[in-house]
Amino acid sequence: MPPTAEAALAALPVVVEEVECRVGAVRLASYPGGGRPTSEVRLGEGRGECVAWTAEAHEEFRARTGAAPRGRWARLGDWSEAMRARFSDPYERAALEAAAIDLALRQAGTNLFELAGVTSRAVRYVVSYGRLRDPMAEAEPGVELKLDVDPAWDGPTYAALRRVAVLDFKGTGSPADHERAHRALPEALIEDALAGPWSASLRTRLGFDAPVTSAGALDALPVRPAAVNLKPARMGGVLEALACAERCARLGIDVYVGGMFEVGVGRRQLRALAALLCPDAPNDVAPLVPPERPPRLPVDGSASGFA
């Protein structure tokens, strides 16, 4: 991972003149209720997506976006600090910061890859599912999977699992449950198995997601994991996600990128971040519509902007 990605982004100048927020919903059969509320904040040409879960939260965000800092800023990092003083919600911070990053990159005529001096690569991804009684019968064929573990799974169900890159315990299960999953799928990441102790073998495949809310949150993890899931929306923005990735690189911890049901520009930005940091990791950034799921996700490394 390029060690200066966060610093290089934070050092970009940015001029913010216009602020707009558009609220809507995207119809998705896979989302509870069939419609995902969403909003897109625009700082001139820069765009970011808010992942708040309710339509009311998006309307409240739209009403507050007028407080976003405007004017000419010598450093994007200073703009972000001023924005954080006015917005406390991590989802709102992440959306505004993503829009400012997109704007600053466009104004500079560059992108993440040129700024960091790396070549964009197509991104490996997984398709994520909640609990399924019979995963191999119910999950989409031909793609790598991230599955929420069902405590009702028996031995034959575990034995039948294929193409599973991540098993997510969501903070549940006993150490015996975690070890059983690891024995069944020794190459898969065992995510958010928060209750130890763990065998030496399982420690080499432990992943953490929900507890990783900042770079500093690494200090509170019960053990140094094999990998952590970086979610900019949960962490309050891309700059904090990059800071965490840089710290993980120093500690020898792998990273993979995950989303929080982004349905618009936020999903494309996650792919760009994955292409920058971890193109070969089990990134939870799959296209939402099955026919659009190629073997890997191409990311344009030549266009200006975030995505």
Coordinates of all heavy atoms in Angstrom, one line a residue, residues 101-189:
I101 N -13.1 15.0 -1.5 CA -11.9 14.3 -2.1 C -12.1 14.3 -3.6 O -11.2 14.6 -4.4 CB -11.8 12.9 -1.5 CG1 -11.3 13.0 -0.1 CG2 -10.9 12.1 -2.4 CD1 -11.3 11.7 0.6
D102 N -13.4 13.9 -4.1 CA -13.7 13.9 -5.5 C -13.4 15.3 -6.1 O -12.8 15.4 -7.2 CB -15.1 13.4 -5.7 CG -15.5 13.1 -7.1 OD1 -14.6 12.8 -7.9 OD2 -16.7 13.2 -7.4
L103 N -13.9 16.3 -5.5 CA -13.8 17.7 -6.0 C -12.3 18.1 -6.0 O -11.8 18.6 -7.1 CB -14.5 18.6 -5.1 CG -14.4 20.1 -5.5 CD1 -15.0 20.4 -6.8 CD2 -15.1 21.0 -4.4
A104 N -11.5 17.8 -5.0 CA -10.1 18.2 -4.9 C -9.3 17.5 -6.0 O -8.5 18.1 -6.7 CB -9.5 17.9 -3.6
L105 N -9.6 16.2 -6.2 CA -8.9 15.4 -7.3 C -9.2 16.0 -8.6 O -8.4 16.1 -9.5 CB -9.3 14.0 -7.2 CG -8.7 13.2 -6.0 CD1 -9.3 11.8 -5.8 CD2 -7.2 13.0 -6.1
R106 N -10.5 16.3 -8.9 CA -10.9 16.9 -10.2 C -10.2 18.2 -10.4 O -9.8 18.6 -11.5 CB -12.4 17.0 -10.3 CG -13.1 15.6 -10.3 CD -14.6 15.8 -10.3 NE -15.3 14.5 -10.2 CZ -15.5 13.7 -11.3 NH1 -15.1 14.0 -12.5 NH2 -16.1 12.5 -11.1
Q107 N -10.2 19.1 -9.4 CA -9.6 20.4 -9.5 C -8.1 20.3 -9.8 O -7.6 21.2 -10.4 CB -9.9 21.2 -8.3 CG -11.4 21.7 -8.2 CD -11.7 22.4 -6.9 OE1 -11.0 22.3 -5.9 NE2 -12.8 23.1 -6.8
A108 N -7.5 19.3 -9.2 CA -6.1 19.0 -9.5 C -5.8 18.3 -10.7 O -4.6 18.1 -11.1 CB -5.5 18.3 -8.3
G109 N -6.8 17.8 -11.4 CA -6.6 17.0 -12.6 C -5.9 15.7 -12.4 O -5.2 15.2 -13.2
T110 N -6.3 15.0 -11.3 CA -5.6 13.8 -10.9 C -6.6 12.8 -10.3 O -7.8 13.1 -10.2 CB -4.4 14.0 -10.0 OG1 -3.6 12.8 -9.9 CG2 -4.8 14.5 -8.6
N111 N -6.1 11.6 -9.8 CA -6.9 10.7 -9.2 C -6.1 10.0 -8.1 O -4.9 10.3 -7.9 CB -7.5 9.6 -10.2 CG -6.4 8.9 -11.0 OD1 -5.4 8.4 -10.4 ND2 -6.6 8.8 -12.3
L112 N -6.7 9.0 -7.4 CA -6.0 8.3 -6.3 C -4.7 7.6 -6.8 O -3.7 7.7 -6.1 CB -6.9 7.3 -5.7 CG -8.1 7.8 -4.9 CD1 -8.9 6.6 -4.4 CD2 -7.7 8.6 -3.7
F113 N -4.8 7.0 -7.9 CA -3.6 6.2 -8.4 C -2.5 7.1 -8.8 O -1.3 6.8 -8.5 CB -4.1 5.3 -9.5 CG -5.4 4.5 -9.1 CD1 -6.6 4.9 -9.6 CD2 -5.3 3.5 -8.3 CE1 -7.8 4.3 -9.3 CE2 -6.5 2.8 -7.9 CZ -7.7 3.2 -8.4
E114 N -2.7 8.1 -9.6 CA -1.7 9.0 -10.0 C -1.0 9.7 -8.7 O 0.2 9.9 -8.6 CB -2.2 10.1 -10.9 CG -2.6 9.5 -12.3 CD -3.2 10.5 -13.2 OE1 -3.3 11.7 -12.7 OE2 -3.5 10.2 -14.3
L115 N -1.9 10.1 -7.8 CA -1.4 10.7 -6.6 C -0.5 9.8 -5.8 O 0.5 10.3 -5.2 CB -2.6 11.2 -5.7 CG -2.4 12.3 -4.7 CD1 -2.0 13.6 -5.3 CD2 -3.7 12.4 -3.8
A116 N -0.9 8.6 -5.7 CA -0.1 7.6 -4.9 C 1.0 6.9 -5.7 O 1.8 6.2 -5.1 CB -1.0 6.5 -4.3
G117 N 1.0 7.1 -7.0 CA 2.1 6.5 -7.8 C 1.9 5.0 -8.0 O 2.9 4.3 -8.1
V118 N 0.7 4.6 -8.1 CA 0.5 3.1 -8.3 C -0.4 2.9 -9.5 O -1.1 3.9 -10.0 CB -0.2 2.5 -7.1 CG1 0.7 2.6 -5.8 CG2 -1.6 3.1 -6.8
T119 N -0.4 1.7 -10.1 CA -1.2 1.4 -11.2 C -2.5 0.8 -10.7 O -2.5 -0.1 -9.9 CB -0.5 0.4 -12.1 OG1 0.7 1.0 -12.6 CG2 -1.3 0.0 -13.3
S120 N -3.7 1.2 -11.3 CA -5.0 0.6 -11.0 C -5.0 -0.8 -11.4 O -4.6 -1.1 -12.6 CB -6.1 1.5 -11.6 OG -7.3 0.8 -11.5
R121 N -5.6 -1.7 -10.6 CA -5.8 -3.1 -11.0 C -7.2 -3.5 -10.7 O -7.9 -2.9 -9.9 CB -4.9 -4.0 -10.1 CG -3.4 -3.8 -10.4 CD -2.6 -4.6 -9.4 NE -3.0 -6.0 -9.4 CZ -2.8 -6.8 -8.3 NH1 -2.2 -6.3 -7.3 NH2 -3.2 -8.0 -8.4
A122 N -7.7 -4.4 -11.5 CA -9.1 -4.9 -11.3 C -9.2 -5.6 -10.0 O -8.3 -6.1 -9.4 CB -9.4 -6.0 -12.4
V123 N -10.4 -5.4 -9.4 CA -10.6 -5.7 -8.0 C -11.3 -7.1 -7.8 O -12.4 -7.4 -8.4 CB -11.5 -4.6 -7.3 CG1 -11.9 -5.0 -5.9 CG2 -10.7 -3.3 -7.3
R124 N -10.8 -7.9 -7.0 CA -11.4 -9.1 -6.5 C -12.6 -8.7 -5.6 O -12.4 -7.8 -4.8 CB -10.5 -10.0 -5.8 CG -11.1 -11.3 -5.1 CD -10.0 -12.0 -4.2 NE -10.6 -13.1 -3.5 CZ -10.0 -13.6 -2.4 NH1 -8.9 -13.1 -1.9 NH2 -10.6 -14.6 -1.8
Y125 N -13.7 -9.5 -5.6 CA -14.8 -9.1 -4.7 C -15.6 -10.4 -4.3 O -15.4 -11.4 -4.9 CB -15.8 -8.1 -5.5 CG -16.5 -8.7 -6.6 CD1 -17.8 -9.3 -6.5 CD2 -15.9 -8.7 -7.9 CE1 -18.4 -9.9 -7.6 CE2 -16.5 -9.3 -9.0 CZ -17.8 -9.8 -8.8 OH -18.5 -10.4 -9.9
V126 N -16.4 -10.2 -3.3 CA -17.2 -11.3 -2.8 C -18.7 -10.8 -2.8 O -18.9 -9.6 -2.8 CB -16.9 -11.7 -1.4 CG1 -15.5 -12.3 -1.3 CG2 -17.0 -10.6 -0.4
V127 N -19.6 -11.7 -2.9 CA -21.0 -11.4 -2.8 C -21.5 -11.8 -1.4 O -21.3 -12.9 -1.0 CB -21.9 -12.1 -3.9 CG1 -23.3 -11.8 -3.7 CG2 -21.4 -11.7 -5.3
S128 N -22.1 -10.8 -0.7 CA -22.4 -10.9 0.7 C -23.8 -11.4 0.9 O -24.7 -10.9 0.3 CB -22.1 -9.6 1.4 OG -22.3 -9.7 2.8
Y129 N -24.0 -12.3 1.8 CA -25.3 -12.8 2.2 C -25.5 -12.8 3.7 O -24.6 -13.1 4.5 CB -25.5 -14.3 1.7 CG -25.7 -14.4 0.2 CD1 -24.7 -14.6 -0.6 CD2 -27.0 -14.3 -0.3 CE1 -24.9 -14.7 -2.0 CE2 -27.2 -14.4 -1.7 CZ -26.1 -14.6 -2.5 OH -26.4 -14.7 -3.9
G130 N -26.7 -12.6 4.1 CA -27.1 -12.8 5.5 C -27.2 -14.3 5.8 O -26.8 -15.1 5.0
R131 N -27.9 -14.7 6.9 CA -28.0 -16.1 7.2 C -28.8 -16.8 6.2 O -29.9 -16.4 5.9 CB -28.6 -16.2 8.6 CG -27.6 -15.8 9.7 CD -28.3 -16.1 11.1 NE -27.4 -15.7 12.1 CZ -27.7 -15.8 13.4 NH1 -28.9 -16.2 13.8 NH2 -26.8 -15.5 14.3
L132 N -28.3 -17.9 5.7 CA -28.9 -18.8 4.7 C -29.0 -20.2 5.4 O -28.0 -20.7 5.9 CB -28.2 -18.9 3.4 CG -28.0 -17.5 2.6 CD1 -27.2 -17.8 1.4 CD2 -29.4 -16.9 2.3
R133 N -30.1 -20.8 5.3 CA -30.2 -22.2 5.9 C -29.4 -23.2 5.1 O -28.7 -24.0 5.6 CB -31.7 -22.6 5.9 CG -31.9 -24.0 6.6 CD -33.4 -24.3 6.8 NE -34.0 -23.3 7.6 CZ -34.0 -23.4 9.0 NH1 -33.4 -24.4 9.6 NH2 -34.6 -22.5 9.7
D134 N -29.4 -23.0 3.7 CA -28.7 -23.9 2.9 C -27.9 -23.1 1.9 O -28.3 -22.8 0.8 CB -29.6 -24.9 2.1 CG -28.9 -26.0 1.3 OD1 -27.7 -25.9 1.2 OD2 -29.6 -26.9 0.8
P135 N -26.7 -22.6 2.3 CA -26.0 -21.6 1.5 C -25.7 -22.0 0.0 O -25.9 -21.3 -0.9 CB -24.7 -21.4 2.3 CG -25.0 -21.8 3.7 CD -26.0 -22.9 3.5
M136 N -25.3 -23.3 -0.2 CA -24.9 -23.7 -1.5 C -26.1 -23.8 -2.4 O -26.0 -23.7 -3.6 CB -24.1 -25.0 -1.5 CG -22.7 -24.8 -0.9 SD -21.6 -23.7 -1.8 CE -21.9 -22.1 -1.0
A137 N -27.3 -24.0 -1.8 CA -28.5 -24.1 -2.7 C -29.1 -22.7 -2.9 O -29.7 -22.4 -3.9 CB -29.6 -24.9 -2.0
E138 N -28.9 -21.8 -2.0 CA -29.5 -20.4 -2.0 C -28.7 -19.3 -2.6 O -29.1 -18.4 -3.1 CB -30.0 -20.0 -0.6 CG -31.1 -21.0 0.0 CD -31.4 -20.6 1.4 OE1 -31.9 -19.5 1.6 OE2 -31.2 -21.4 2.3
A139 N -27.3 -19.5 -2.4 CA -26.4 -18.4 -2.9 C -26.2 -18.5 -4.4 O -26.4 -19.5 -5.0 CB -25.1 -18.5 -2.1
E140 N -25.9 -17.3 -4.9 CA -25.6 -17.2 -6.4 C -24.4 -18.1 -6.7 O -23.4 -18.1 -6.1 CB -25.3 -15.8 -6.7 CG -25.1 -15.5 -8.2 CD -24.7 -14.0 -8.4 OE1 -25.1 -13.2 -7.6 OE2 -24.1 -13.7 -9.4
P141 N -24.6 -18.9 -7.8 CA -23.5 -19.7 -8.2 C -22.3 -19.0 -8.9 O -22.6 -17.9 -9.5 CB -24.1 -20.7 -9.2 CG -25.3 -19.9 -9.8 CD -25.8 -19.1 -8.6
G142 N -21.1 -19.5 -8.9 CA -20.1 -19.0 -9.7 C -19.4 -17.7 -9.2 O -18.5 -17.2 -9.9
V143 N -19.7 -17.3 -8.0 CA -19.0 -16.1 -7.4 C -18.5 -16.5 -6.0 O -19.0 -17.4 -5.4 CB -20.0 -14.9 -7.3 CG1 -20.4 -14.4 -8.6 CG2 -21.2 -15.3 -6.4
E144 N -17.4 -15.7 -5.6 CA -17.0 -15.9 -4.2 C -18.0 -15.3 -3.2 O -18.7 -14.4 -3.5 CB -15.6 -15.2 -4.0 CG -14.4 -16.0 -4.6 CD -13.1 -15.4 -4.1 OE1 -12.7 -14.4 -4.6 OE2 -12.6 -16.0 -3.1
L145 N -18.0 -15.9 -2.0 CA -19.1 -15.6 -1.1 C -18.5 -15.0 0.2 O -17.5 -15.5 0.7 CB -19.9 -16.8 -0.8 CG -20.6 -17.4 -2.0 CD1 -21.3 -18.8 -1.6 CD2 -21.6 -16.5 -2.7
K146 N -19.3 -14.2 0.9 CA -19.1 -13.8 2.3 C -20.5 -14.1 2.9 O -21.5 -13.6 2.6 CB -18.8 -12.3 2.4 CG -18.7 -11.8 3.8 CD -18.4 -10.3 3.8 CE -18.1 -9.8 5.2 NZ -19.3 -9.7 6.1
L147 N -20.4 -15.0 3.9 CA -21.7 -15.5 4.5 C -21.7 -15.2 6.0 O -20.7 -15.4 6.7 CB -21.7 -17.1 4.3 CG -21.7 -17.6 2.9 CD1 -21.7 -19.2 3.0 CD2 -22.9 -17.1 2.1
D148 N -22.9 -14.8 6.4 CA -23.2 -14.7 7.9 C -23.4 -16.1 8.4 O -24.2 -16.9 7.8 CB -24.4 -13.9 8.1 CG -24.2 -12.4 7.9 OD1 -23.0 -12.0 7.6 OD2 -25.1 -11.6 8.0
V149 N -22.7 -16.5 9.4 CA -22.8 -17.8 10.0 C -24.2 -18.0 10.6 O -24.6 -17.2 11.4 CB -21.7 -18.1 11.0 CG1 -21.9 -19.5 11.6 CG2 -20.4 -18.0 10.3
D150 N -24.8 -19.2 10.3 CA -26.1 -19.5 11.0 C -25.7 -20.6 12.0 O -25.2 -21.7 11.7 CB -27.1 -20.1 10.0 CG -28.4 -20.4 10.5 OD1 -28.6 -20.6 11.7 OD2 -29.4 -20.3 9.8
P151 N -26.1 -20.4 13.3 CA -25.7 -21.4 14.3 C -26.4 -22.7 14.1 O -26.0 -23.7 14.7 CB -26.2 -20.7 15.6 CG -27.1 -19.6 15.2 CD -26.7 -19.2 13.9
A152 N -27.4 -22.7 13.3 CA -28.1 -24.0 13.0 C -27.4 -24.9 12.0 O -27.8 -26.0 11.8 CB -29.6 -23.7 12.5
W153 N -26.3 -24.4 11.4 CA -25.6 -25.2 10.4 C -25.1 -26.5 11.1 O -24.5 -26.4 12.1 CB -24.5 -24.4 9.8 CG -24.9 -23.4 8.8 CD1 -26.1 -23.2 8.3 CD2 -24.1 -22.4 8.2 NE1 -26.1 -22.1 7.4 CE2 -24.9 -21.6 7.4 CE3 -22.7 -22.0 8.4 CZ2 -24.3 -20.5 6.7 CZ3 -22.2 -21.0 7.7 CH2 -23.0 -20.2 6.8
D154 N -25.3 -27.6 10.4 CA -24.7 -28.8 10.9 C -23.5 -29.2 10.1 O -23.0 -28.5 9.2 CB -25.8 -30.0 10.8 CG -26.4 -30.2 9.4 OD1 -25.7 -29.7 8.4 OD2 -27.4 -30.8 9.3
G155 N -22.9 -30.4 10.5 CA -21.7 -30.8 9.8 C -21.8 -31.0 8.3 O -20.9 -30.5 7.6
P156 N -22.9 -31.6 7.8 CA -23.0 -31.7 6.3 C -23.1 -30.3 5.6 O -22.6 -30.1 4.5 CB -24.3 -32.5 6.1 CG -24.4 -33.3 7.4 CD -23.8 -32.4 8.5
T157 N -23.7 -29.3 6.3 CA -23.8 -28.0 5.7 C -22.4 -27.4 5.6 O -22.0 -26.8 4.5 CB -24.7 -27.1 6.5 OG1 -26.0 -27.7 6.6 CG2 -24.8 -25.7 5.9
Y158 N -21.6 -27.5 6.7 CA -20.3 -26.9 6.6 C -19.5 -27.7 5.6 O -18.7 -27.1 4.8 CB -19.6 -27.1 8.0 CG -19.8 -25.9 8.9 CD1 -20.5 -25.9 10.0 CD2 -19.1 -24.7 8.6 CE1 -20.7 -24.8 10.9 CE2 -19.2 -23.6 9.4 CZ -20.0 -23.6 10.5 OH -20.1 -22.5 11.3
A159 N -19.6 -29.0 5.5 CA -18.8 -29.8 4.6 C -19.1 -29.4 3.1 O -18.3 -29.6 2.2 CB -19.1 -31.3 4.8
A160 N -20.4 -28.9 2.9 CA -20.8 -28.6 1.5 C -20.3 -27.2 1.0 O -20.4 -26.9 -0.1 CB -22.3 -28.7 1.4
L161 N -19.9 -26.4 2.0 CA -19.5 -25.0 1.6 C -18.4 -24.9 0.6 O -17.4 -25.6 0.8 CB -19.2 -24.2 2.9 CG -20.3 -24.0 3.9 CD1 -19.8 -23.2 5.1 CD2 -21.5 -23.2 3.2
R162 N -18.6 -24.1 -0.4 CA -17.6 -23.9 -1.4 C -17.5 -22.4 -1.8 O -18.5 -21.7 -1.6 CB -17.9 -24.7 -2.7 CG -18.0 -26.2 -2.5 CD -16.6 -26.8 -2.3 NE -16.6 -28.2 -2.3 CZ -16.9 -28.9 -1.2 NH1 -17.2 -28.3 0.0 NH2 -16.9 -30.3 -1.2
R163 N -16.4 -21.9 -2.3 CA -16.2 -20.6 -2.7 C -16.5 -19.5 -1.6 O -16.8 -18.4 -1.9 CB -17.2 -20.3 -3.9 CG -17.1 -21.1 -5.1 CD -18.1 -20.8 -6.2 NE -19.4 -21.4 -5.9 CZ -20.5 -20.7 -5.5 NH1 -20.4 -19.4 -5.4 NH2 -21.6 -21.3 -5.3
V164 N -16.3 -19.9 -0.4 CA -16.5 -19.0 0.7 C -15.2 -18.3 1.1 O -14.2 -19.0 1.6 CB -17.1 -19.7 1.9 CG1 -17.3 -18.7 3.1 CG2 -18.5 -20.3 1.5
A165 N -15.1 -17.0 1.0 CA -13.9 -16.3 1.4 C -13.9 -15.8 2.8 O -12.9 -15.6 3.4 CB -13.6 -15.2 0.4
V166 N -15.1 -15.5 3.3 CA -15.3 -14.9 4.6 C -16.5 -15.5 5.3 O -17.6 -15.5 4.7 CB -15.5 -13.3 4.5 CG1 -15.6 -12.8 5.9 CG2 -14.4 -12.7 3.8
L167 N -16.4 -15.9 6.5 CA -17.5 -16.4 7.3 C -17.6 -15.3 8.5 O -16.7 -15.2 9.3 CB -17.2 -17.7 7.9 CG -17.5 -18.9 7.0 CD1 -17.0 -20.2 7.7 CD2 -18.9 -19.0 6.6
D168 N -18.8 -14.7 8.5 CA -19.0 -13.6 9.5 C -19.8 -14.1 10.7 O -21.0 -14.4 10.5 CB -19.7 -12.4 8.7 CG -19.8 -11.2 9.6 OD1 -19.4 -11.2 10.8 OD2 -20.3 -10.2 9.0
F169 N -19.3 -14.0 11.9 CA -20.0 -14.4 13.0 C -20.8 -13.3 13.7 O -21.6 -13.5 14.6 CB -19.0 -15.0 14.1 CG -18.8 -16.5 13.9 CD1 -17.8 -16.9 13.1 CD2 -19.6 -17.4 14.5 CE1 -17.5 -18.3 12.9 CE2 -19.4 -18.8 14.3 CZ -18.3 -19.2 13.5
K170 N -20.6 -12.1 13.2 CA -21.3 -10.9 13.8 C -21.2 -10.8 15.3 O -22.2 -10.4 16.0 CB -22.8 -11.0 13.4 CG -23.1 -11.0 11.9 CD -22.9 -9.7 11.3 CE -23.3 -9.6 9.8 NZ -22.9 -8.4 9.1
G171 N -20.1 -11.2 15.8 CA -19.9 -11.1 17.3 C -20.5 -12.2 18.1 O -20.5 -12.1 19.3
T172 N -21.0 -13.2 17.4 CA -21.7 -14.3 18.1 C -20.8 -15.5 18.1 O -19.7 -15.6 17.5 CB -23.0 -14.6 17.4 OG1 -22.8 -15.2 16.1 CG2 -23.9 -13.4 17.3
G173 N -21.3 -16.6 18.7 CA -20.7 -17.9 18.7 C -19.7 -18.1 19.8 O -19.1 -17.1 20.3
S174 N -19.4 -19.3 20.1 CA -18.4 -19.7 21.2 C -17.1 -20.0 20.5 O -17.0 -20.1 19.3 CB -18.9 -20.9 21.9 OG -18.9 -22.0 21.1
P175 N -16.0 -20.0 21.3 CA -14.7 -20.4 20.7 C -14.8 -21.8 19.9 O -14.2 -21.9 18.9 CB -13.8 -20.5 21.9 CG -14.3 -19.5 22.8 CD -15.8 -19.6 22.7
A176 N -15.6 -22.7 20.4 CA -15.8 -24.0 19.8 C -16.5 -23.8 18.4 O -16.1 -24.5 17.4 CB -16.6 -24.9 20.6
D177 N -17.4 -22.9 18.3 CA -18.1 -22.6 17.0 C -17.1 -22.0 16.0 O -17.1 -22.4 14.9 CB -19.3 -21.6 17.2 CG -20.4 -22.2 18.1 OD1 -20.6 -23.4 18.0 OD2 -21.0 -21.4 18.8
H178 N -16.3 -21.1 16.5 CA -15.3 -20.5 15.6 C -14.3 -21.5 15.1 O -13.9 -21.5 13.9 CB -14.6 -19.3 16.4 CG -15.5 -18.4 17.0 ND1 -15.1 -17.7 18.2 CD2 -16.8 -18.0 16.7 CE1 -16.2 -16.9 18.5 NE2 -17.2 -17.1 17.7
E179 N -13.8 -22.4 16.0 CA -12.9 -23.4 15.6 C -13.5 -24.4 14.6 O -12.8 -24.8 13.6 CB -12.3 -24.1 16.8 CG -11.5 -23.3 17.8 CD -10.2 -22.8 17.3 OE1 -9.7 -23.3 16.2 OE2 -9.6 -21.9 17.9
R180 N -14.8 -24.7 14.8 CA -15.4 -25.6 13.9 C -15.5 -25.0 12.5 O -15.2 -25.7 11.5 CB -16.9 -25.9 14.4 CG -17.7 -26.8 13.6 CD -19.1 -26.7 14.0 NE -20.0 -27.7 13.5 CZ -21.3 -27.7 13.5 NH1 -21.9 -26.7 14.1 NH2 -22.0 -28.7 12.9
A181 N -15.8 -23.7 12.4 CA -15.9 -23.0 11.1 C -14.5 -23.0 10.5 O -14.4 -23.2 9.2 CB -16.4 -21.6 11.3
H182 N -13.5 -22.8 11.3 CA -12.1 -22.7 10.7 C -11.7 -24.1 10.2 O -11.0 -24.1 9.2 CB -11.2 -22.2 11.8 CG -9.7 -22.2 11.4 ND1 -9.3 -21.5 10.3 CD2 -8.7 -22.8 12.0 CE1 -8.0 -21.7 10.2 NE2 -7.6 -22.4 11.2
R183 N -12.0 -25.1 10.9 CA -11.6 -26.5 10.5 C -12.3 -26.8 9.1 O -11.7 -27.4 8.2 CB -12.0 -27.5 11.5 CG -11.1 -27.5 12.7 CD -11.3 -28.8 13.5 NE -12.7 -28.9 14.0 CZ -13.1 -28.4 15.2 NH1 -12.3 -27.7 15.9 NH2 -14.4 -28.6 15.5
A184 N -13.6 -26.3 9.0 CA -14.3 -26.6 7.8 C -13.8 -25.8 6.6 O -13.7 -26.3 5.4 CB -15.8 -26.3 7.9
L185 N -13.3 -24.6 6.8 CA -12.9 -23.7 5.8 C -11.6 -23.0 6.2 O -11.6 -21.8 6.6 CB -13.9 -22.6 5.4 CG -15.2 -23.2 4.8 CD1 -16.3 -22.1 4.8 CD2 -14.9 -23.6 3.3
P186 N -10.5 -23.7 6.2 CA -9.2 -23.2 6.8 C -8.6 -22.0 6.1 O -7.9 -21.3 6.7 CB -8.3 -24.4 6.8 CG -8.8 -25.3 5.7 CD -10.3 -25.1 5.8
E187 N -9.0 -21.8 4.8 CA -8.5 -20.6 4.1 C -9.4 -19.4 4.2 O -9.0 -18.3 3.8 CB -8.3 -21.0 2.6 CG -7.4 -22.1 2.4 CD -6.0 -21.8 3.0 OE1 -5.5 -20.7 2.8 OE2 -5.4 -22.7 3.6
A188 N -10.6 -19.6 4.7 CA -11.5 -18.4 4.8 C -11.2 -17.5 6.0 O -10.6 -18.0 7.0 CB -13.0 -18.9 5.0
L189 N -11.4 -16.3 5.9 CA -11.4 -15.4 7.0 C -12.5 -15.6 8.0 O -13.7 -15.7 7.5 CB -11.4 -13.9 6.6 CG -10.1 -13.3 6.0 CD1 -10.3 -11.9 5.5 CD2 -8.9 -13.4 7.0

